[in-house]
Amino acid sequence: MAVASTSLASQMSGPKSATSISCPQFSGLRKSFSKLDNSVSFFTSQAFFQNVDSHLRLSSDRKGCRAVVAMAGSGKFFVGGNWKCNGTKDSISKLVSDLNNAQLESDVDVVVAPPFLYIDQVKNSLTDRIEVSAQNCWTGKGGAFTGEISVEQVKDLGCKWVILGHSERRHVIGENDEFIGKKAAYALSQGVGVIACIGELLQEREAGKTFDVCFQQLKAFADAIPSWDNVVIAYEPVWAIGTGKVASPEQAQEVHVAVRDWLTKNVSTEVASKTRIIYGGSVNGSNSSDLAKKEDIDGFLVGGASLKGPEFATIVNSVTAKKVAA
């Protein structure tokens, strides 16, 4: 599904006109104009940001039609736990026991991603209420690829999902956008759902490249995958992963709205509506409810807090903060 790359200005300012402007430079997400076309000198930075703010606050104007849960997308709330390279047989047995005993809200899709070595242990002991994900997979069938795991092996263990594009794979292992896109395409072709991770480094946010980075990563997925069915997008600002720093609800919502708008403009309105966009980055039991209240935050991808059964249950149950009166 090939898509055309578009600028932030064309993404956020509505229909194109005969008069063009240069794209503004942002610090974090916003910064005053560094350059404007002389032909549009009347178009002030204040007016531009009123337009952007109006666009990014579209969710606040959506009233009434969602009497159960306030979500911009039409998908079910989704919470994933990425256990990363943590755990032993004993500690994972304790974690699984805690999860099996937890009272979880029914209207949430819950997934956990153990280390590969423990997937079978978890799958054989975890309640069916919670699905199991792999943390990575290869770009095609198995073979002479030392240290890799194929999608067929992931399926054989009973996994329904795989996490791809996580920042630790991008920036520590060195995987690039094209390689990640190939992984996603093959996983989907084999019936395994993809949790597609995107997000900017701190220096990229400070340089005003948050949207550019996220849109480029989205485009790499869109260019490769045959369909957005069975894809969940996880926005994880790299500067917030494992650092204790968390994007404010407003910061996260702002990017989530922009991602949904990108899908509308570059893929389809239907895909933008049904694709769940979840947030990750130091999510815990204390901040999840405030984040969940934002209309375009459709759930979470949780790191360290997912290793604590009771706290992970609290995050899952933060969906209650999203519910509104009928």
Side-chain angles (χ1 to χ4, degrees):
M1 183 182 296
V3 297
S5 177
T6 55
S7 69
L8 179 60
S10 64
Q11 294 290 334
M12 307 305 280
S13 60
K16 295 180 180 178
S17 65
T19 304
S20 63
I21 63 171
S22 61
C23 183
Q25 303 298 311
F26 291 97
S27 175
L29 290 176
R30 293 179 176 155
K31 191 175 182 180
S32 60
F33 280 93
S34 60
K35 185 173 87 172
L36 277 173
D37 191 313
N38 289 335
S39 64
V40 289
S41 58
F42 63 91
F43 186 65
T44 65
S45 59
Q46 180 181 6
F48 176 84
F49 289 124
Q50 286 174 345
N51 187 38
V52 173
D53 287 339
S54 175
H55 184 95
L56 293 174
R57 291 172 183 155
L58 281 176
S59 60
S60 66
D61 295 328
R62 301 179 182 115
K63 304 287 185 182
C65 61
R66 295 175 181 86
V68 178
V69 178
M71 290 174 66
S74 59
K76 195 175 183 181
F77 203 71
F78 185 106
V79 177
N82 181 9
W83 298 357
K84 304 189 180 183
C85 189
N86 292 296
T88 63
K89 288 191 294 184
D90 288 344
S91 68
I92 285 175
S93 291
K94 173 63 166 60
L95 178 54
V96 168
S97 176
D98 288 343
L99 293 174
N100 287 343
N101 292 321
Q103 297 295 317
L104 304 178
E105 290 290 317
S106 60
D107 50 350
V108 184
D109 285 336
V110 185
V111 178
V112 295
F116 289 130
L117 289 172
Y118 303 116
I119 287 176
D120 198 45
Q121 175 188 348
V122 171
K123 184 62 182 174
N124 290 329
S125 57
L126 184 66
T127 172
D128 290 339
R129 169 71 183 84
I130 302 174
E131 293 184 332
V132 178
S133 170
Q135 297 179 20
N136 184 36
C137 69
W138 183 236
T139 59
K141 291 183 178 180
F145 306 109
T146 301
E148 284 294 340
I149 183 170
S150 71
V151 176
E152 289 81 3
Q153 291 168 331
V154 166
K155 288 179 63 178
D156 190 41
L157 291 175
C159 293
K160 300 292 182 64
W161 295 89
V162 61
I163 299 171
L164 296 175
H166 194 280
S167 66
E168 289 150 8
R169 301 295 305 183
R170 294 178 185 271
H171 302 296
V172 178
I173 307 301
E175 295 182 0
N176 62 30
D177 291 341
E178 182 181 4
F179 187 65
I180 294 164
K182 288 180 179 178
K183 289 184 174 188
Y186 190 73
L188 292 169
S189 75
Q190 299 302 305
V192 175
V194 171
I195 301 171
C197 299
I198 63 172
E200 81 283 4
L201 297 166
L202 178 60
Q203 57 265 38
E204 291 168 336
R205 170 169 279 265
E206 291 176 339
K209 297 180 179 179
T210 294
F211 288 169
D212 292 338
V213 170
C214 291
F215 294 169
Q216 177 182 322
Q217 292 168 350
L218 280 172
K219 185 178 185 299
F221 282 113
D223 284 345
I225 64 177
S227 168
W228 288 84
D229 293 340
N230 221 18
V231 175
V232 171
I233 297 171
Y235 167 59
E236 295 196 298
V238 182
W239 48 272
I241 298 174
T243 63
K245 299 178 181 178
V246 60
S248 70
E250 292 73 24
Q251 287 175 316
Q253 167 70 5
E254 188 171 37
V255 177
H256 282 226
V257 172
V259 168
R260 202 176 303 280
D261 182 75
W262 189 95
L263 291 173
T264 298
K265 299 289 179 63
N266 294 279
V267 185
S268 73
T269 301
E270 179 185 6
V271 166
S273 175
K274 72 181 182 181
T275 300
R276 291 171 287 187
I277 306 170
I278 64 178
Y279 171 78
S282 297
V283 177
N284 57 47
S286 298
N287 60 34
S288 56
S289 289
D290 286 338
L291 288 161
K293 291 175 184 177
K294 294 300 182 181
E295 192 171 357
D296 285 272
I297 296 179
D298 302 326
F300 304 109
L301 184 57
V302 186
S306 69
L307 299 172
K308 306 169 186 176
E311 185 169 11
F312 185 64
T314 297
I315 296 169
V316 170
N317 293 337
S318 68
V319 69
T320 58
K322 200 177 250 331
K323 294 180 179 179
V324 295

